[in-house]
Amino acid sequence: MYNFEFKQPKTISEALIALKSDDAQVLAGGQTLIPTMKQRLASPSTLVSLSGISEMKGICKNDDGSISIGGCTTHSCVANNRNIFSGLVTLAENIGDAAVRNRGTIGGSLANNDPAACYPAAALSAGATIITDTRKISSDDFFQGMFDTALEEGEIILSVQFPVPTVSSYQKFVQPASRFAVVGVFLSKFNNGTRVAVTGASEEGVYRWRQAEIALNDNFSEEAINDLSIDSESMISDIHASKEYRAHLVKVMTKRAITSAS
């Protein structure tokens, strides 16, 4: 590891001031950034840790029935909160191992937008709103491609607001070594429709499977998606799975999510 300046502000305003330094980088849980720095793939001169900002941690229920989760809330905290809808709890319980869950944060996961990360699928499926220090961004507008989001330079995710679905399910085909998703499907059923988000599969990152949503709005059953086809051309191909296998897994994981939610 090389030399860098480490800052640990106690308030959001202090963090924003610190981020104005040349080549400053936000440090949330550090589960992606620290390994990246060790490999010399990133070399910020200043790290601004958000771990000491208490107002960015915790979970609360809003007056409209939605749930707000602070950007620095760990996966472990989400997994252990039984007031959160079941799909999100299951997702958090199965991220990495205990060490990762105790350090990694929801805000860090969303900001990084790894194409195989779990939280982007939850946010997109539930129609969550990402709240930053300057604005509110709908999940449909937030994710813009592999490792790419709508965040501007120095913008911080303060919290994430989740509408609560009537039923939800997250089904993940796990890559055993990393515990990332080879393919993961998050399904959220609301009174006004169903949303299906897929992670781990596409070269464009997390996305909504709108064909499945339309079919499930007419008939919420596994049979509803039997005749749907998935174009494998845009799927990821690597040592873990081919494009064709990932396309196959999208339908399999979606069917499992339907069964679980039912």
Side-chain angles (χ1 to χ4, degrees):
M1 185 68 77
Y2 59 90
N3 291 329
F4 56 85
E5 185 177 3
F6 182 79
K7 296 183 179 180
Q8 192 171 29
K10 298 299 181 183
T11 66
I12 294 170
S13 59
E14 289 178 1
L16 294 172
I17 292 171
L19 284 170
K20 292 180 180 179
S21 303
D22 290 339
D23 200 22
Q25 176 80 42
V26 169
L27 176 67
Q31 298 306 289
T32 298
L33 180 58
I34 298 302
T36 301
M37 292 172 63
K38 288 181 177 179
Q39 296 175 43
R40 299 296 195 271
L41 298 175
S43 53
S45 59
T46 303
L47 286 186
V48 181
S49 173
L50 305 181
S51 63
I53 305 177
S54 58
E55 59 188 308
M56 290 182 62
K57 300 177 181 179
I59 301 166
C60 67
K61 189 171 184 178
N62 302 312
D63 292 339
D64 62 0
S66 64
I67 293 172
S68 289
I69 303 178
C72 283
T73 304
T74 64
H75 312 323
S76 179
C77 183
V78 175
N80 293 320
N81 191 308
R82 298 301 161 178
N83 292 321
I84 300 175
F85 54 95
S86 60
L88 196 55
V89 170
T90 300
L91 179 151
E93 287 176 334
N94 290 283
I95 293 177
D97 55 22
V100 170
R101 291 191 292 274
N102 284 326
R103 290 296 302 173
T105 65
I106 185 171
S109 176
L110 295 178
N112 190 49
N113 192 21
D114 189 292
C118 299
Y119 272 119
L124 189 56
S125 173
T129 299
I130 290 83
I131 300 171
T132 77
D133 56 291
T134 61
R135 54 183 171 148
K136 297 180 179 180
I137 313 170
S138 73
S139 58
D140 286 315
D141 297 327
F142 184 80
F143 304 105
Q144 300 187 350
M146 190 180 290
F147 295 108
D148 189 18
T149 71
L151 290 175
E152 300 289 346
E153 190 74 24
E155 193 172 9
I156 299 174
I157 296 177
L158 302 183
S159 64
V160 188
Q161 185 174 339
F162 285 90
V164 178
T166 54
V167 292
S168 62
S169 177
Y170 181 59
Q171 299 294 318
K172 178 168 72 168
F173 192 88
V174 177
Q175 199 282 90
S178 68
R179 305 295 297 174
F180 274 107
V182 175
V183 169
V185 173
F186 200 110
L187 181 150
S188 299
K189 188 175 187 295
F190 297 90
N191 291 330
N192 61 351
T194 300
R195 292 169 64 105
V196 179
V198 181
T199 188
S202 173
E203 293 176 342
E204 299 300 319
V206 66
Y207 70 95
R208 286 174 63 185
W209 188 13
R210 296 182 185 272
Q211 282 182 297
E213 294 176 355
I214 294 169
L216 291 171
N217 286 338
D218 291 333
N219 175 21
F220 193 80
S221 69
E222 287 188 34
E223 291 72 23
I225 66 169
N226 279 343
D227 297 330
L228 298 184
S229 61
I230 300 170
D231 183 9
S232 63
E233 186 60 32
S234 63
M235 295 289 149
I236 296 170
S237 179
D238 56 23
I239 61 172
H240 306 298
S242 65
K243 291 176 178 285
E244 293 77 16
Y245 189 51
R246 276 191 164 87
H248 168 73
L249 284 176
V250 170
K251 184 177 284 189
V252 172
M253 293 299 108
T254 302
K255 287 189 173 184
R256 291 183 184 180
I258 295 167
T259 299
S260 174
S262 298

